[in-house]
Amino acid sequence: DQQVKQNSPSLSVQEGRISILNCDYTNSMFDYFLWYKKYPAEGPTFLISISSIKDKNEDGRFTVFLNKSAKHLSLHIVPSQPGDSAVYFCAASMGGYQKVTFGTGTKLQVIP
Amino acid sequence: DADVTQTPRNRITKTGKRIMLECSQTKGHDRMYWYRQDPGLGLRLIYYSFDVKDINKGEISDGYSVSRQAQAKFSLSLESAIPNQTALYFCATSDGVTGPDTEAFFGQGTRLTVV
């Protein structure tokens, strides 16, 4: 039972354009969401997060949007750069436990 | 030096052998985790520990055991390795003090192959 789903295994975007990575979840008890980026041969690194009390959080080129009614979140990268090419994992947790559930990942390729 | 160090980085072992993966951290975090990554399945939690005396099973703990030797050390053992335990294993730490849901810091991973 996959509680956090990333239905697009891969995404290709031209440099300078917007990348939109999507994530859906099924557990309404999740109240904190995170995005991690993973390069080959490295561990995942934290990118950005959002609490369920917000619907948007922005950090430089990265913005995460949360739609609680649809149980959907998305990560926008604007403008996309070749260095953004990586696997992006969506993750969710229930506050206080920090037992984070990860999605299956989306491989982003930014084409120069 | 990395904040979260996993050893070994790569390991090939035979079916039925016992193997230990080690993790040490210099972050000073109380919380430590073991995940495995498989293609198409993302990261799945094996075990987690919120302090030295606290060990909890994750979603896929069968066939694994852990030991929290100190705040900084958390090891994962495969008692009798089997081929479907071939995967990329990650150790992670997090700080449960500054907030309930702060980011986790991951090691570089251990690629384990069971033949």
Side-chain angles (χ1 to χ4, degrees), chain B residues 41-108:
Chain B
L41 294 177
L43 289 159
R44 293 182 293 166
L45 183 63
I46 306 172
Y47 270 96
Y48 62 103
S49 170
F50 282 177
D51 64 44
V52 175
K53 297 181 180 179
D54 177 78
I55 301 289
N56 303 281
K57 292 183 177 181
E59 54 186 307
I60 53 163
S61 59
D62 287 349
Y64 301 95
S65 62
V66 291
S67 174
R68 185 80 184 267
Q69 299 95 327
Q71 185 203 39
K73 295 184 181 295
F74 192 37
S75 59
L76 175 72
S77 294
L78 285 67
E79 300 302 325
S80 179
I82 56 177
N84 76 0
Q85 291 177 313
T86 294
L88 187 55
Y89 290 84
F90 288 102
C91 174
T93 75
S94 66
D95 174 7
V97 174
T98 56
D101 297 295
T102 50
E103 65 183 277
F105 294 84
F106 284 81
Q108 291 184 291

Side-chain angles (χ1 to χ4, degrees), chain A residues 47-64:
Chain A
L47 187 59
I48 192 169
S49 62
I50 188 167
S51 165
S52 60
I53 63 173
K54 296 184 177 181
D55 55 17
K56 176 183 175 181
N57 188 29
E58 188 172 356
D59 183 2
R61 296 186 297 113
F62 302 91
T63 303
V64 57

Side-chain angles (χ1 to χ4, degrees), chain A residues 92-110:
Chain A
S93 71
M94 287 176 269
Y97 293 95
Q98 216 169 355
K99 187 166 67 74
V100 178
T101 301
F102 283 82
T104 53
T106 296
K107 184 176 183 179
L108 173 66
Q109 181 184 23
V110 180

